[in-house]
Amino acid sequence: MEISNRIRGFQASPIRRLSPYARAAKERGIKVYHLNIGQPDIRSPKEAIEAIHSYPNDIIAYGESDGDLALRKALVKYYHDYVDVDITVDDILITTGGSEAILFSLMTLCDPGDEIIVPEPYYTNVHSFARMANVSIVPVTSTLEDNFALPPLSLIEERITSKTRAILLNSPNNPTGHIYSPKELETIIGMCRDHDIFLIMDEVYREFCYDNQKFTSVLKYTDCNERIICIDSVSKRFSMCGARVGALICRNRNVIRETLKLSQARLCSPTVEQYASLAAFGAPPAYLENVKAEYEKRRNFIVKALRSIPGVKCSRPNGAFYLIARLPVEDAEDFSIFMLRDFSYNGETVMLAPAEGFYESKDLGRDQVRIAYVLNTDDLEKACICLKEGLKAYNNRTF
Ligand SMILES: Cc1ncc(COP(=O)(O)O)c(C=O)c1O
């Protein structure tokens, strides 16, 4: 019996594939600091937790395929109040996480064999979504030396072919922390207009912009409504990653109508979690303000701590809660395994995400890791000490 060649072509997630090593380390009694995954230690809004405890129905029933109407109305209000954008409930499909919204976008916009242009390094799971949709990712490379700014726009334009259906951007960016400026956005949108293609904009981290930088949502560019899809999620905003509630937002009725077929096929997104997400949108503004301040503090801390480790270089991200660091090793995956399998310092170690899988181009990112600064600064400090000692031990190994 054979399984498909298609599945063999997928990659195991670089964020999760070292988990068996982490599990084994924990079984040996070692504390593992997880810098590999964007799972914050921040509490979800108490309103959301209370909603789960007091869920009023006797049956956890299927909901509407396009999402709970009350939640969609809450999103309309949130966009008005917080994002300075007016949308209607008809522009929104609730999805099972932002992940499903990305997959649905590709399925709706692209035929098998089509292409999307994506700046790399990029959110690695897009690789798998593109494979599911049979779509090729055409990368444009951004670099640590440039603080991962958008590559020259001429380079992006050069990659557009008759098969290109969309440019996919993520701002604030995972894994680089880069935020696209309004000027960059305007130029990209202009390019999409000139070449008659879509822009998929993943804004799941839009609340987390630092150094007083103001975020401009792509949905503000209303003259290009027809060609813009915005990806949203409660996962990071409200530290509700396990709720699996996101949204696809688009003012192009045709896109919404056609995508709804996919929503109907998977019946609905989680019912109780949509109820909890609705409650989360009722949290006071101070909730998000405090969370953002906490991440900014962590960003400041980790950049300084990493830069003080000999041989380590990292960008200074101004959004989201990730960064790419270059380590003084040839193979960051081998080093990451070493940290989990062969090393501990005072009974502790660190789990990292090797960055190679965040690049589409071959041989890029081999000496880089993605770090998620989702732990409190005390834990980040201990994690950075482990990293420093681990690098010393790794580079002094005798074979
Ligand atoms: C850039 C980006 N987009 C989308 C997602 C998917 O989030 P979820 O499916 O949990 O909403 C993530 C998760 O880490 C992400 O980093």
Side-chain angles (χ1 to χ4, degrees):
M1 270 198 306
E2 284 291 327
I3 58 165
S4 72
N5 288 324
R6 178 180 47 214
I7 195 64
R8 290 202 188 100
F10 278 66
Q11 69 166 359
S13 165
I15 303 169
R16 289 173 177 255
R17 70 171 169 245
L18 304 187
S19 294
Y21 294 105
R23 226 173 291 134
K26 286 175 197 170
E27 273 162 23
R28 296 195 305 277
I30 292 170
K31 180 170 172 59
V32 179
Y33 292 105
H34 283 272
L35 302 185
N36 59 305
I37 190 162
Q39 172 54 63
D41 64 355
I42 305 270
R43 287 186 174 202
S44 312
K46 70 174 186 344
E47 289 79 357
I49 304 293
E50 280 166 12
I52 289 181
H53 285 301
S54 61
Y55 185 65
N57 300 334
D58 294 331
I59 301 173
I60 301 174
Y62 286 132
E64 296 288 343
S65 294
D66 52 4
D68 177 63
L69 183 58
L71 176 59
R72 286 156 67 215
K73 284 182 178 164
L75 267 164
V76 169
K77 180 167 166 20
Y78 155 81
Y79 271 89
H80 178 82
D81 295 351
Y82 286 84
V83 194
D84 193 22
V85 156
D86 285 317
I87 53 171
T88 72
V89 288
D90 297 328
D91 303 327
I92 304 171
L93 291 178
I94 299 296
T95 54
T96 306
S99 303
E100 192 182 61
I102 299 172
L103 174 63
F104 281 6
S105 304
L106 300 183
M107 296 288 286
T108 299
L109 305 185
C110 306
D111 281 315
D114 281 343
E115 298 170 353
I116 53 167
I117 294 176
V118 187
E120 65 180 357
Y122 63 91
Y123 174 50
T124 178
N125 285 346
V126 171
H127 180 87
S128 297
F129 304 144
R131 284 216 160 230
M132 289 181 208
N134 240 312
V135 168
S136 301
I137 291 179
V138 176
V140 277
T141 308
S142 65
T143 64
L144 197 151
E145 288 66 29
D146 255 356
N147 225 6
F148 295 106
L150 199 60
L153 295 163
S154 57
L155 270 188
I156 301 180
E157 195 150 29
E158 262 173 27
R159 304 284 159 92
I160 298 179
T161 71
S162 58
K163 289 186 168 181
T164 309
R165 287 284 158 271
I167 297 175
L168 187 151
L169 299 182
N170 165 218
S171 179
N173 188 272
N174 171 10
T176 69
H178 184 72
I179 300 172
Y180 296 116
S181 68
K183 196 163 179 317
E184 282 173 318
L185 274 185
E186 272 160 39
T187 319
I188 289 276
I189 290 172
M191 202 181 288
C192 291
R193 194 191 299 114
D194 293 347
H195 294 272
D196 202 20
I197 58 177
F198 284 86
L199 175 60
I200 307 170
M201 191 67 173
D202 180 341
E203 298 186 355
V204 303
Y205 297 98
R206 73 162 71 88
E207 270 74 22
F208 308 131
C209 299
Y210 315 128
D211 308 318
N212 298 318
Q213 197 156 335
K214 214 175 140 350
F215 182 77
T216 306
S217 171
V218 75
L219 293 169
K220 283 189 96 77
Y221 298 89
T222 45
D223 52 334
C224 274
N225 279 342
E226 294 292 303
R227 60 181 77 255
I228 290 174
I229 293 182
C230 183
I231 308 294
D232 202 355
S233 170
V234 303
S235 288
K236 316 292 167 160
R237 177 170 308 135
F238 297 126
S239 203
M240 289 175 68
C241 298
R244 313 309 307 131
V245 174
L248 181 156
I249 296 164
C250 184
R251 296 178 175 116
N252 180 326
R253 284 293 133 83
N254 196 26
V255 168
I256 294 287
R257 192 176 49 246
E258 295 297 317
T259 308
L260 184 59
K261 295 176 190 167
L262 298 171
S263 309
Q264 289 170 344
R266 64 82 168 105
L267 307 174
C268 70
S269 289
T271 305
V272 180
E273 283 84 347
Q274 287 188 69
Y275 185 71
S277 301
L278 170 62
F281 279 104
Y287 175 84
L288 281 174
E289 285 157 20
N290 292 339
V291 174
K292 177 180 139 172
E294 176 63 25
Y295 283 132
E296 187 157 3
K297 183 170 98 184
R298 293 174 183 193
R299 189 278 313 259
N300 294 344
F301 179 87
I302 193 138
V303 169
K304 199 163 163 220
L306 288 174
R307 286 180 175 171
S308 74
I309 301 175
V312 173
K313 290 201 163 48
C314 72
S315 58
R316 183 179 166 80
N318 43 22
F321 40 66
Y322 307 93
L323 58 78
I324 291 278
R326 176 171 292 139
L327 305 182
V329 299
E330 251 175 46
D331 182 343
E333 174 133 1
D334 188 60
F335 171 68
S336 303
I337 294 172
F338 166 85
M339 289 298 283
L340 295 170
R341 193 186 53 196
D342 307 317
F343 174 82
S344 64
Y345 183 74
N346 291 338
E348 302 184 335
T349 194
V350 179
M351 184 168 177
L352 304 160
E356 199 175 1
F358 292 71
Y359 288 86
E360 191 68 18
S361 304
K362 269 216 147 331
D363 295 330
L364 290 183
R366 279 201 85 206
D367 57 354
Q368 299 175 5
V369 289
R370 185 198 73 167
I371 286 180
Y373 45 97
V374 287
L375 305 180
N376 63 62
T377 44
D378 287 346
D379 284 352
L380 286 179
E381 183 172 17
K382 291 185 201 133
C384 286
I385 292 170
C386 284
L387 180 59
K388 182 176 171 189
E389 295 302 322
L391 282 167
K392 254 196 259 169
Y394 183 78
N395 285 327
N396 288 334
R397 278 168 311 159
T398 47
F399 294 97

